[in-house]
Amino acid sequence: MKNMIFNGFTLNYHESINIYVNDEMKRVIFISKDNDEIHGILELDEVNKVKIHPRWNVNFSIENTEVTIGVNYENE
């Protein structure tokens, strides 16, 4: 797993996922390793309430301020 800190949240994500961060909009976009498919978006509102927009091929698990993003496909 790769990881990063984003606005007080620890994000742990699968090695096959690339990320793009928009600090102004408080969003992290999770993209396939070939940068051709958005897997999901995690965004925070003004009070750091988490909003997630997942696709079928990823899963998000949240515990306190730790978010784990896994994949639902075999070859990765």
Side-chain angles (χ1 to χ4, degrees), residues 20-58:
Y20 293 93
V21 178
N22 182 327
D23 285 316
E24 183 178 324
M25 298 294 292
K26 295 173 79 173
R27 289 185 182 150
V28 179
I29 302 169
F30 301 92
I31 300 193
S32 64
K33 66 181 175 185
D34 296 326
N35 293 322
D36 61 353
E37 182 179 356
I38 294 175
H39 285 333
I41 299 170
L42 181 143
E43 65 180 297
L44 303 174
D45 68 11
E46 55 279 343
V47 293
N48 274 358
K49 182 177 174 184
V50 176
K51 186 173 187 181
I52 297 172
H53 310 271
R55 291 279 311 265
W56 65 271
N57 54 358
V58 295

Side-chain angles (χ1 to χ4, degrees), residues 6 8-11 62-67:
F6 178 71
F9 288 85
T10 301
L11 306 180
I62 302 171
E63 185 173 342
N64 299 316
T65 60
E66 188 163 333
V67 181

